[in-house]
Amino acid sequence: MDGDEVVPEAQALPLDAWHRARGGRMVEFAGYWMPVQFEGIIAEHLWTREHAGLFDVSHMGQLVVSGETAETALETVLPIDLSTLKLGGLRYSLLLDEVGGILDDLIVARWPDAFQMVVNGATKWDDIAHLRENLPDDVTISLRDEQALLALQGPQAVTALTSLGLVPAMPQIVPIEQLGFMQMGPYLWGDRELGVSRSGYTGEDGFEISVHADDVAAFADALCAHASVKPIGLGARDSLRLEAGLPLYGHDLGPETDPIGAGLGFAINKRRRAEGGFLGAEQVLAVIAAGPAQKRIGLALEGRQAAREGAVVMVGDAAVGRVTSGGFSPTLNHPIAMAYVDAAHASPGTALEIDVRGKRLAATVTTFPFVPHRYVRNGKA
């Protein structure tokens, strides 16, 4: 209907009232009401770097893919070697279209009789439709919409989480503090089962916790009773992931970007490069062989003015790329940005300029991450 199209209203997540009661400033994001900040983005960013921040990421899609042929079927839509993914292991992967464009980035985990996947909130319904279209009928795809998802991030996250007395729900599962980065397991909080992974998207050590929606407010209260934990909004989550050099779908990734130019070649395993057999394989393998025309780079800016998404990257009078994410880095105390630029100008140390409303900002290509990651692997940082 011309001019009368109905735009769906944003939905409330299970912790909506909890956020509002704590002064969360709510905004529409990915079709949901979510807190963008509580005390202020910079304060929340620095708190997470120094202590522990609690993020509500319940908008994400928690999927279960099961069936006897689930492993081989998933390899037709993901460029991943699932044969090397151990029980309880997590791995970053990509959902690609027929020409190798990125439909979503995701985390996939192996569990005894199924694969668990966490996909982006804004794309989850399209992802489910894509999977159903491309997977055989004997593979079941379930959305765990009864579950909320929290991310506890920061150097004191492990202390705060272990203080709640979680115990492994299976004999072969290690205590929480012994989980390594990109490992998961089921744990009991009293009589309530949680799915806990040592993962996150801030560059800090931390955990993502899947908890039933009926229990999530009580669990969030229990975490925030710890002196090191505060609720943190979307604003600081974005500035933290930018400092960590992690791309955000819908900004730094999309159908118009390829995995190699995006710097995500590690997500295409050695066997899959040799054998192909996944959607878009022909195009992706051709880019691997020839090299990408453009590359995702990091930019360190001079001065105090930030460059935002859409700003044009220049060499002299020639446009050579565009910014996809940018902002002021509270940790480094200067602006940083991600951009796609022509491969000839992507080497670290290259001097570029960014056009911001007619003003040229000096910038230098730098390596990712801007701020070192602090993941814990096998019990060691």
Side-chain angles (χ1 to χ4, degrees):
M1 294 183 297
D2 292 343
D4 295 319
E5 183 178 351
V6 176
V7 178
E9 292 186 4
Q11 300 179 55
L13 292 167
L15 278 182
D16 188 85
W18 191 92
H19 295 312
R20 294 177 190 274
R22 283 154 185 77
R25 197 180 106 201
M26 308 298 283
V27 298
E28 294 185 46
F29 180 80
Y32 297 92
W33 287 109
M34 298 187 68
V36 67
Q37 65 181 52
F38 292 85
E39 297 179 13
I41 292 173
I42 292 178
E44 293 170 30
H45 179 114
L46 296 175
W47 180 271
T48 303
R49 284 272 186 241
E50 297 164 4
H51 305 286
L54 182 64
F55 301 80
D56 182 6
V57 289
S58 300
H59 64 299
M60 306 286 277
Q62 300 181 64
L63 310 183
V64 177
V65 181
S66 60
E68 290 187 7
T69 64
E71 181 168 328
T72 54
L74 276 175
E75 285 195 349
T76 67
V77 293
L78 302 177
I80 191 172
D81 184 354
L82 289 172
S83 69
T84 62
L85 183 61
K86 297 180 180 179
L87 186 68
L90 281 69
R91 194 167 294 163
Y92 180 86
S93 192
L94 301 166
L95 196 63
L96 304 177
D97 63 20
E98 292 81 357
V99 294
I102 301 173
L103 296 177
D104 201 6
D105 63 337
L106 55 92
I107 296 292
V108 59
R110 181 187 291 275
W111 208 231
D113 54 358
F115 290 93
Q116 299 186 24
M117 296 168 60
V118 177
V119 301
N120 281 296
T123 59
K124 64 185 174 186
W125 297 111
D126 289 338
D127 290 355
I128 291 169
H130 182 79
L131 291 169
R132 285 182 173 151
E133 180 181 352
N134 289 283
L135 298 181
D137 292 341
D138 62 347
V139 173
T140 301
I141 305 160
S142 304
L143 174 63
R144 301 193 70 194
D145 54 2
E146 80 285 358
Q147 295 291 113
L149 189 65
L150 301 178
L152 182 67
Q153 303 283 292
Q156 295 183 28
V158 64
T159 302
L161 191 56
T162 55
S163 73
L164 300 191
L166 274 61
V167 296
M170 293 180 180
Q172 67 269 39
I173 303 301
V174 300
I176 284 287
E177 63 272 18
Q178 293 180 25
L179 273 181
F181 181 60
M182 299 297 274
Q183 295 177 342
M184 63 164 289
Y187 292 84
L188 293 174
W189 179 51
D191 60 354
R192 290 167 281 198
E193 185 169 310
L194 313 174
V196 181
S197 66
R198 200 157 198 168
S199 61
Y201 219 59
T202 64
E204 290 289 337
D205 180 31
F207 302 85
E208 292 194 344
I209 306 123
S210 179
V211 52
H212 197 283
D214 292 344
D215 301 323
V216 68
F219 189 70
D221 280 339
L223 284 172
C224 286
H226 196 281
S228 67
V229 180
K230 288 183 178 181
I232 308 295
L234 288 174
R237 186 170 187 259
D238 189 55
S239 57
L240 287 159
R241 71 90 196 166
L242 178 58
E243 288 187 345
L246 302 173
L248 181 64
Y249 192 84
H251 300 267
D252 313 295
L253 305 175
E256 72 285 355
T257 56
D258 70 87
I260 310 308
L264 304 176
F266 66 88
I268 304 169
N269 307 90
K270 182 178 180 180
R271 176 172 70 82
R272 307 313 307 280
R273 292 181 180 221
E275 297 177 1
F278 55 88
L279 279 176
E282 182 178 350
Q283 291 84 353
V284 170
L285 298 181
V287 175
I288 291 175
Q294 287 204 323
K295 293 183 178 181
R296 180 173 64 92
I297 60 164
L299 290 168
L301 280 69
E302 297 178 11
R304 306 289 289 181
Q305 185 175 350
R308 305 293 181 180
E309 181 177 1
V312 178
V313 181
M314 308 290 293
V315 172
D317 293 329
V320 297
R322 68 179 185 89
V323 172
T324 53
S325 288
F328 189 83
S329 166
T331 304
L332 301 175
N333 201 35
H334 65 73
I336 56 176
M338 286 186 198
Y340 281 85
V341 300
D342 296 343
H345 304 288
S347 298
T350 301
L352 299 171
E353 291 183 312
I354 305 173
D355 188 317
V356 178
R357 296 184 297 277
K359 180 180 179 180
R360 294 290 187 94
L361 305 181
T364 303
V365 179
T366 186
T367 56
F368 292 128
F370 296 101
V371 174
H373 297 160
R374 295 202 283 188
Y375 304 136
V376 170
R377 304 176 193 271
N378 300 320
K380 295 181 180 179

